[in-house]
Amino acid sequence: MSEEEGNSGQVVKGSEEAIFLVENLLRKKLSELPVKIYRAAGDSIVVEVPRRYLRDAANAVHNDLDAYVRTCAGCDEREIRGIYAVYHILGLDNYGVNVIIKVAVPENDAKVPTIADIAPGADWCELEFRDLVGIDLTGRPTHRLVLPDDWPDGLHPLRRDVPYGVRPPPVKREEVSLIEIERPGIPVGPYHPALHEPEYFELYVEGETVIDVRYRGFHVHRGIEKLAESKLTYKQIPFIAERICGICGFCHSTCYVMAVEKAAGIEVPERADYIRAIVLEIERIHSHLLWLGVACHILGYDAGFMHTWRIREKIMALAEYLTGSRKTYGINIIGGVRKDINKEKVPKVLEVLDFVEKETKNLADVLLSVPEVKRRLTGTGKLYREEARKLSVVGPVARASGLYRDVRKDYPYLAYKHVSFKVPLYTEGDNLARTLVRVEELFESISIIRQLLDTMPGGDIRVEEYEIESGRVSVASVEAPRGEDVHFLITGEGRPYRWRVRAPTYQNIPALRAMLRDQQLADAPITIASIDPCFSCTDRLVIVEVSGGKVRRVRRINVVKVAGGKVW
Amino acid sequence: MLYISLQVIYVVLAVLIAPVLDSLERKIKAKIHSRIGPPILQTWYDLRKLFNKELVLSRAALPLVLIVLTMLGLCVLTLLAIPAGIPFAFFSGLDIPFLVVLIASIQGLIIAASVVSDNVYAVIGGFREFAIGIVNEVALITAVILIFVSTGLTSFAMLPEAAIRPSYIPVLVLLLTSAYVASGRIPFDIGEAEPELASGILIELSGPALGTALYSILMKRFVCASLSALALVLPLVRLLNPLASFAVFTALTTVMWIIHGIIAVLLGRSRVDIAAKALVLTYSILIISSTALVGVGL
């Protein structure tokens, strides 16, 4: 394992100096284009570019400045400015700065050129704003991604004039049959023992070797963004944000409150930053242990499964001790937290951490020495560095493929700047590397919590008074257990004007195609699980036919309607 | 008369006790997992529940049920043919060849079961069973034959030689290994590997049909444990009186079942290519060394 710090050793990531540097770089790179460059809230720079130059600007930022796609969002700004707008959020993790490329789209010609060929990571989010905001794309094949198939054309739920809760009568469509492949397709999902959430994979096999993969998802899109933009208030949203995910919900609520605090310029007390960071790390420990258990189960090693969950139980109890809930802690509010971690609680926390550290170490030693487990993790589900970069993968998936990418280091937030920790990095890109990244992160998280408890400052845990000006744009990100959560926010009156959530699995699922191809069928479940997918956060739909490593044809097929759906 | 009674008692015991041993295995597994585990009659409760359900047979299920029922019958016959620690041959004269044929048939049926379904999980599961089954069948049958050769038995009615020859050790290892593999436990349960194949060939079955299938798997496991116990008890038969020998054999069968269960907890699931390769390699070494040793009369 090695650690690299990126090539911006001279500047502190996310600092004023770094932002200044990036701003100058942008001015230089984009000098030929008629762009407007200005600072947004926090560590973000907005580049306003006319529609016809979008591709040039995206190319310059993504490819020349080595940025990666964090997400993109469409926004209906007709009420304010009579236009639609598209925001492409690109991250320069060497500087810790976000570049928001903003394009105005006239109402009567709602189309933007695609950048998915320049930056493949933008593939899904482009289709998503096409579905939800109704901004069409030029220069790429399109299909419905998020909306169910019986949803009428031309009704785009995230437009401001579409009321919340609209339920149009279902539209009957002719079923488009699946492209015929003369090989057995192994259905994995929407409900399947290897997937604990409703998703659908169809694996095409030759003998036992997977030669093609289809993926269908987004069965349980819940319209949380619309709910927040039309019904809830700023103060209510942290609680709904926490319910985006049943495992890493606190990451989402933290990400949301950070986005609002950034946009409104709220100075959060340092003690609250510490408490949030501690709870985030507790969440990471429970999530990684959960994953480790599931991975063991998938490999048929149930003893490992049971024992990781036995250890995890202590962490769940600890979360309850500190926040009042085992999960969905509900302690985040704008301006701070609701619950303090006082001195009396510290010894108990340390005791649990010691227990978890010791037990996890023993367990990891044992389970990584079980011959079948080791053998089946090694060399399976490979994702090479170049491919990983191209697809803008995040979290442990990126770090196992040799990409040094961790929001805690790249876009320093909360109290992480006050602690020292290593970012585990592996270059093999196989299932074992992803497992080892997570195992090492467990110990790093334990060490982070100890350091935070040791140096936690006194003082208030929240600010009560603040004003949130409307029309401010901000981007916040949190390193969730699966990778980075990104929340993009435009403030409005009493509630966000636009709130876009991007969960890490959204970026990582497209990488599965590369990981599954030419693998043994038996290794498909562990490979799918190795990205630690959280479908509830992500949920959407795509069918892609792949031939010789190239996307040959993209088709839309009828969605199997599945009700409900809960996280594992 | 005593021998016949003991043999029949053994088969009746097997029929009743196999699900109990399965519960015991689950209980021990739970202890290793740091769980409490089910009560000792849980598997019987499960079977009762399945048999109380309505019988639904899909197109592929009917041949499968027939196969499963045949397997159940074959298992009972095999248990009659395996001498319960006593010098007794239920099918006198042709007892040893008959046992070999029965074991081969059970393995063959598992393979047959794999190709009757058109469900894709079942087909793939079936081909995996097929791959492992073929490799293992050779080893198991060779082991059974070598056991008799190296103990000088031509019929179960005879008393085996008391002195253990050196060749008996590789033969014993071969038999214990192949009996374990034949019991269909982790790491060799790849035919019904739950994560990707959703129980493989069992996926078409439900209710009483599934109950029968599960019960026949338990009986097969009992046969595997009995074969291992027989190999262990054979050198002792001459030294013990029939009742003691029967008791030792029955106890050893239980112990072997539990050992099988514990091994399964400690390992993860293998993959068909890795498992087949590993087995071919291990078996080749064991078969060659044991045949050579038996051949030169060691």
Side-chain angles (χ1 to χ4, degrees):
Chain A
M1 196 193 76
S2 68
E3 201 175 327
E4 60 177 57
E5 284 291 341
N7 58 12
S8 64
Q10 66 276 25
V11 290
V12 180
K13 288 180 180 184
S15 63
E16 283 299 318
E17 194 193 346
I19 299 170
F20 182 71
L21 218 65
V22 172
E23 210 175 324
N24 282 342
L25 268 174
L26 286 170
R27 285 192 199 287
K28 212 153 68 189
K29 279 274 167 213
L30 304 173
S31 55
E32 315 233 311
L33 305 176
V35 294
K36 214 162 101 190
I37 299 173
Y38 55 91
R39 286 278 303 270
D43 48 15
S44 306
I45 299 169
V46 179
V47 176
E48 267 193 51
V49 54
R51 190 161 52 161
R52 63 178 179 281
Y53 297 115
L54 168 64
R55 289 174 58 82
D56 300 324
N59 192 28
V61 179
H62 185 270
N63 295 339
D64 299 348
L65 296 183
D66 196 24
Y68 71 109
V69 177
R70 306 199 83 187
T71 190
C72 61
C75 185
D76 175 5
E77 297 180 2
R78 286 176 298 169
E79 291 167 7
I80 319 171
R81 298 188 292 144
I83 52 155
Y84 296 111
V86 168
Y87 298 84
H88 282 286
I89 299 132
L90 300 163
L92 273 74
D93 46 3
N94 288 339
Y95 298 92
V97 176
N98 291 306
V99 175
I100 306 172
I101 302 179
K102 181 180 175 183
V103 185
V105 185
E107 187 180 359
N108 51 12
D109 182 29
K111 277 184 196 143
V112 282
T114 180
I115 66 160
D117 52 338
I118 299 165
D123 181 26
W124 276 16
C125 60
E126 280 190 346
L127 291 172
E128 187 173 347
F129 70 61
R130 177 179 173 270
D131 271 13
L132 297 179
V133 192
I135 303 170
D136 216 341
L137 294 157
T138 54
R140 63 165 290 173
T142 53
H143 55 91
R144 204 170 260 199
L145 180 74
V146 181
L147 292 176
D149 239 31
D150 60 359
W151 189 270
D153 288 327
L155 181 62
H156 304 288
L158 277 185
R159 285 195 176 169
R160 309 287 298 182
D161 49 6
V162 176
Y164 174 76
V166 64
R167 286 177 191 277
V171 176
K172 280 220 158 55
R173 283 174 215 277
E174 230 173 87
E175 189 143 343
V176 185
S177 63
L178 279 168
I179 309 142
E180 277 182 21
I181 292 185
E182 288 170 18
R183 292 193 179 89
I186 315 269
V188 179
Y191 287 99
H192 188 278
L195 294 173
H196 301 233
E197 291 179 68
E199 287 297 291
Y200 184 71
F201 289 89
E202 206 161 74
L203 307 175
Y204 289 85
V205 294
E206 209 169 62
E208 287 258 349
T209 310
V210 176
I211 52 157
D212 199 355
V213 185
R214 285 162 203 279
Y215 167 74
R216 246 200 273 182
F218 297 88
H219 296 310
V220 288
H221 193 68
R222 290 163 293 175
I224 280 181
E225 292 170 17
K226 181 75 181 173
L227 176 68
E229 288 166 24
S230 56
K231 289 280 168 201
L232 303 178
T233 63
Y234 278 120
K235 289 184 177 182
Q236 289 170 331
I237 297 174
F239 302 97
I240 202 82
E242 196 147 350
R243 281 156 178 82
I244 289 173
C245 181
I247 302 173
C248 53
F250 194 74
C251 297
H252 281 287
S253 72
T254 307
C255 205
Y256 165 77
V257 293
M258 276 167 48
V260 177
E261 285 155 5
K262 247 187 210 177
I266 301 167
E267 285 290 324
V268 180
E270 220 179 2
R271 191 173 175 83
D273 279 350
Y274 271 73
I275 294 171
R276 281 178 184 169
I278 290 169
V279 179
L280 280 173
E281 290 311 308
I282 287 177
E283 196 170 61
R284 187 183 324 279
I285 296 173
H286 108 74
S287 175
H288 280 356
L289 283 173
L290 178 147
W291 179 83
L292 207 55
V294 171
C296 286
H297 173 62
I298 287 174
L299 292 173
Y301 184 56
D302 279 350
F305 174 35
M306 292 296 159
H307 282 282
T308 37
W309 282 50
R310 172 179 59 82
I311 300 167
R312 175 176 173 269
E313 192 52 34
K314 294 274 182 199
I315 285 289
M316 304 307 280
L318 179 65
E320 186 178 6
Y321 180 66
L322 293 180
T323 68
S325 304
R326 286 164 60 86
K327 251 330 284 145
T328 316
Y329 312 127
I331 62 164
N332 259 333
I333 50 172
I334 291 166
V337 290
R338 298 199 303 166
K339 238 179 147 94
D340 201 357
I341 297 176
N342 51 32
K343 273 210 180 82
E344 292 76 62
K345 287 181 177 170
V346 174
K348 170 90 187 264
V349 181
L350 293 174
E351 188 190 313
V352 173
L353 290 179
D354 288 343
F355 169 85
V356 173
E357 188 177 33
K358 193 172 127 247
E359 293 280 313
T360 311
K361 201 163 173 10
N362 291 342
L363 183 76
D365 287 347
V366 171
L367 68 88
L368 289 173
S369 62
V370 173
E372 289 79 18
V373 172
K374 195 161 181 202
R375 182 78 200 258
R376 292 190 54 192
L377 288 173
T378 313
T380 54
K382 273 213 165 213
L383 181 69
Y384 295 98
R385 189 176 192 276
E386 213 20 65
E387 201 138 19
R389 206 200 81 81
K390 208 174 76 193
L391 292 164
S392 297
V393 299
V394 293
V397 180
R399 296 194 277 277
S401 291
L403 293 179
Y404 186 86
R405 190 173 282 173
D406 187 324
V407 182
R408 292 174 295 176
K409 290 273 192 200
D410 297 338
Y411 302 83
Y413 59 98
L414 299 179
Y416 288 112
K417 45 188 173 293
H418 305 302
V419 292
S420 75
F421 62 96
K422 271 198 309 200
V423 176
L425 192 73
Y426 285 82
T427 50
E428 290 84 351
D430 59 357
N431 287 331
L432 184 67
R434 288 186 280 276
T435 309
L436 291 174
V437 164
R438 293 194 179 95
V439 169
E440 281 178 33
E441 278 184 14
L442 275 169
F443 299 117
E444 292 301 325
S445 292
I446 291 171
S447 145
I448 291 172
I449 300 176
R450 284 195 187 121
Q451 293 176 50
L452 288 171
L453 285 172
D454 200 35
T455 55
M456 190 151 72
D460 284 340
I461 55 167
R462 59 177 168 261
V463 285
E464 305 283 355
E465 299 290 322
Y466 51 83
E467 288 278 323
I468 304 171
E469 211 183 300
S470 66
R472 311 261 309 160
V473 175
S474 73
V475 178
S477 47
V478 164
E479 185 68 24
R482 289 156 190 76
E484 55 184 60
D485 282 341
V486 178
H487 286 213
F488 167 75
L489 188 92
I490 304 174
T491 56
E493 293 295 334
R495 63 171 65 100
Y497 188 80
R498 180 79 178 92
W499 174 44
R500 162 89 175 112
V501 178
R502 204 231 54 212
T505 307
Y506 196 84
Q507 293 301 100
N508 288 341
I509 284 182
L512 274 178
R513 219 162 54 214
M515 285 153 69
L516 284 169
R517 222 179 297 135
D518 300 329
Q519 292 291 315
Q520 288 281 306
L521 171 68
D523 293 326
I526 183 65
T527 303
I528 293 172
S530 78
I531 67 162
D532 198 359
C534 189
F535 295 120
S536 257
C537 310
T538 309
D539 241 16
R540 291 97 277 199
L541 174 147
V542 72
I543 302 292
V544 183
E545 187 185 354
V546 185
S547 161
K550 289 210 171 90
V551 175
R552 197 163 75 208
R553 200 159 24 156
V554 182
R555 284 240 214 151
R556 185 161 60 83
I557 61 161
N558 274 14
V559 182
V560 181
K561 277 205 90 181
V562 182
K566 197 49 215 129
V567 290
W568 48 343
Chain B
M1 198 57 209
L2 172 71
Y3 288 166
I4 293 186
S5 324
L6 284 178
Q7 190 69 34
V8 172
I9 289 173
Y10 163 68
V11 175
V12 172
L13 210 62
V15 169
L16 294 175
I17 212 178
V20 178
L21 286 176
D22 186 57
S23 305
L24 188 65
E25 180 183 342
R26 288 161 72 178
K27 190 91 188 165
I28 291 169
K29 194 174 166 184
K31 288 282 172 227
I32 301 175
H33 283 173
S34 76
R35 289 186 287 121
I36 294 168
I40 208 72
L41 289 176
Q42 187 59 49
T43 304
W44 268 124
Y45 299 151
D46 294 349
L47 289 172
R48 186 182 64 188
K49 184 191 78 185
L50 286 172
F51 279 100
N52 279 335
K53 294 196 172 203
E54 122 194 64
L55 181 68
V56 182
L57 289 180
S58 67
R59 192 161 44 87
L62 192 63
L64 210 52
V65 170
L66 292 178
I67 288 172
V68 161
L69 284 172
T70 319
M71 192 159 111
L72 204 54
L74 284 179
C75 284
V76 174
L77 275 180
T78 315
L79 289 172
L80 276 173
I82 296 173
I86 41 178
F88 169 69
F90 203 90
F91 306 98
S92 54
L94 285 171
D95 46 354
I96 290 176
F98 190 52
L99 179 63
V100 169
V101 169
L102 282 172
I103 292 169
S105 313
I106 292 176
Q107 292 272 358
L109 272 181
I110 299 167
I111 295 166
S114 61
V115 290
V116 297
S117 173
D118 53 1
N119 181 299
V120 349
Y121 295 123
V123 171
I124 292 193
F127 277 104
R128 290 181 179 183
E129 294 273 9
F130 190 83
I132 299 293
I134 293 275
V135 178
N136 200 50
E137 178 159 7
V138 175
L140 187 58
I141 291 172
T142 314
V144 171
I145 294 171
L146 287 178
I147 288 273
F148 302 128
V149 177
S150 68
T151 48
L153 281 178
T154 50
S155 162
F156 291 131
M158 294 165 60
L159 282 174
E161 295 166 10
I164 304 174
R165 297 191 204 167
S167 66
Y168 199 69
I169 292 161
V171 175
L172 191 63
V173 176
L174 181 64
L175 183 99
L176 294 180
T177 319
S178 51
Y180 179 78
V181 177
S183 76
R185 286 182 173 88
I186 280 177
F188 302 105
D189 66 336
I190 48 180
E192 48 191 81
E194 189 234 18
E196 68 267 27
L197 293 184
S199 299
I201 53 173
L202 297 179
I203 197 167
E204 295 277 355
L205 303 174
S206 66
L210 181 62
T212 317
L214 294 177
Y215 188 69
S216 76
I217 290 174
L218 296 181
M219 291 309 289
K220 190 186 88 187
R221 288 188 174 170
F222 198 88
V223 169
C224 294
S226 297
L227 280 176
S228 310
L230 177 71
L232 289 169
V233 89
L234 268 183
L236 305 174
V237 173
R238 190 184 278 271
L239 311 173
L240 299 166
N241 77 41
L243 275 175
S245 175
F246 174 77
V248 169
F249 172 75
T250 321
L252 267 178
T253 305
T254 312
V255 170
M256 285 317 296
W257 184 303
I258 291 168
I259 290 175
H260 284 180
I262 291 174
I263 294 173
V265 185
L266 301 180
L267 297 173
R269 184 172 298 112
S270 192
R271 210 169 64 193
V272 66
D273 54 335
I274 302 177
K277 261 184 233 158
L279 286 180
V280 167
L281 189 68
T282 320
Y283 287 161
S284 308
I285 295 168
L286 283 170
I287 292 176
I288 291 168
S289 58
S290 49
T291 319
L293 284 173
V294 173
V296 299
L298 275 169

